[in-house]
Amino acid sequence: MKYNRNLKAIALLLMMIAMMLSLTKCGKNADKIDTVGGDMMHISLHVGEGRHNVTPNTGEVSFEDGDVIYVGDGSTYIGTLTRVSETFGGDIIPPSDGTMIYFYFVGNLDPGSITAGTTTDFTVSIADQSSKMPVLALGSVMFDHEITQYSCELYNQCGLVKFVTSFATSTTVTVEGMSTIASVSFATPSITPTGETGGVTLYSEGNAARWAVLLPQA
């Protein structure tokens, strides 16, 4: 089943406004940043219980072990944090004092081959949401080597939208004409749609209600 673009264009603007208000940010504590030997620095972000998932109706975002956060220094990718026992942890290339460090969560979508100290950007597709809705979020803190405890919030760069079919159906529902490719930039810290369009396969909740995480649309 497919919704045509005209229906999407009429309905999406009103839904995006309401949805953005309910899914603006998810606060996570960056409790410790400890310097370690050699040329790397260890970061631990404590996020508590839960799993990477979006709760329909509330837009609540949570995580599960194995989820990853990519870290940038405003220029390049500098390391990855992986969640184990309620904590994201990993080693990164140490930034300079006064440098903003950025945390990117892209719902475990595949970034392809990336290299710390070299990669400036990658792209991901949010087209297939039939089994899980992919959250894209970005947060930042300013680094100071004398500070060992930080606070950080991740702001969602996407929105949660509910679609209700005109009749109950168990078949797959796709909304066409949507921007489905997001560019994740470490050089100009951002997560933005590239302008490419395709179809979003919606997450199913019953035979009528469908959900999707959507990028800002042109």
Side-chain angles (χ1 to χ4, degrees), residues 22 25 44 47 62 72 130 173 196 205:
S22 65
K25 63 184 180 181
S44 296
V47 298
S62 51
S130 56
V173 177
E196 296 183 24
E205 187 189 52

Side-chain angles (χ1 to χ4, degrees), residues 149-183:
Q149 295 191 34
Y150 293 78
S151 177
C152 176
E153 290 183 328
L154 300 179
Y155 291 85
N156 289 324
Q157 309 297 298
C158 52
L160 181 64
V161 174
K162 181 178 182 179
F163 295 85
V164 179
T165 59
S166 58
F167 56 91
T169 177
S170 59
T171 61
T172 299
V173 177
T174 299
V175 177
E176 294 186 330
M178 308 296 291
S179 295
T180 59
I181 306 297
S183 175

Side-chain angles (χ1 to χ4, degrees), residues 78-131:
I78 59 174
T80 298
L81 312 180
T82 303
R83 186 181 187 277
V84 178
S85 299
E86 302 181 13
T87 299
F88 283 92
D91 295 339
I92 67 171
I93 298 172
S96 302
D97 278 5
T99 297
M100 297 297 293
I101 51 178
Y102 298 87
F103 304 102
Y104 300 78
F105 181 69
V106 293
N108 283 13
L109 298 172
D110 185 7
S113 178
I114 58 177
T115 304
T118 301
T119 299
T120 59
D121 60 82
F122 64 84
T123 60
V124 292
S125 171
I126 66 166
D128 184 2
Q129 300 184 25
S130 56
S131 60

Side-chain angles (χ1 to χ4, degrees), residues 8 31 39-41 43 46 57 62 67 72 77 102 105 108 111 114 126-127 142 147 153 172 175 180 182 185-186 214:
K8 180 270 298 184
D31 289 340
D39 296 325
M40 302 299 285
M41 179 182 71
I43 296 182
H46 303 277
N57 294 311
S62 51
D67 284 348
Y77 158 69
Y102 298 87
F105 181 69
N108 283 13
I114 58 177
I126 66 166
M142 181 176 289
I147 300 176
E153 290 183 328
T172 299
V175 177
T180 59
S185 174
F186 299 107
L214 300 180

Side-chain angles (χ1 to χ4, degrees), residues 200-214:
V200 175
T201 302
L202 305 184
Y203 179 80
S204 176
E205 187 189 52
N207 286 336
R210 299 291 193 278
W211 294 85
V213 165
L214 300 180

